Amino acid sequence: GVLCEVVNVVAQVEEERAFHDQAHRFILEFVRSLDMDGDRMLSRAEFLEVMERDPDLLVGLHNIGIDVVAFCDNAIALFDDCEKMEVSDFVELVTQFRGQKQTTVKDLVDMRKFISMQLRHVADELGRKTAPSAPNVAPGSPNRLSM
């Protein structure tokens, strides 16, 4: 029983490593073709360019097991925290959309952080839009509210 479990875990780790290596090579080729400034990083503009111009990327991602629909739904959010990212970081983010990947505690924690961040952003935006503008009242004026 224990030996079978160890063999099973090792097989899963090796499968994950092989998938990651294949995804890295595939994505690296696309990034190289798009890297307009030669910095070996992917910018939001370069990413959008490839998404619009090259449908082979999505077909290739699908072929290596990426859930393309979920990836496209969340693609722009990948660049919310930064304007550019290293290829290895991008590959890591893309591999999170693997269709057969089981959910982990880390995935749930990341989702919680993302939702909290988005809710804070929405609350800030709503606060700015609904906050009454401060009246232009001179200090000492009888119309000034005292606290």
Side-chain angles (χ1 to χ4, degrees), residues 128-145:
R128 276 190 228 122
K129 291 182 180 183
T130 59
S133 58
N136 287 334
V137 178
S141 168
N143 292 334
R144 186 173 171 100
L145 297 175

Side-chain angles (χ1 to χ4, degrees), residues 109-121:
V109 170
D110 289 345
M111 177 64 77
R112 183 179 174 276
K113 282 194 238 178
F114 175 75
I115 290 172
S116 295
M117 181 181 66
Q118 292 298 99
L119 287 174
R120 271 193 305 272
H121 177 70

Side-chain angles (χ1 to χ4, degrees), residues 12 16 25 34 44 53 66 79 88 107 139:
Q12 287 176 345
E16 190 66 27
R25 283 190 304 272
L34 285 178
R44 179 187 297 256
R53 186 182 75 182
I66 300 297
F79 289 93
S88 59
D107 294 330

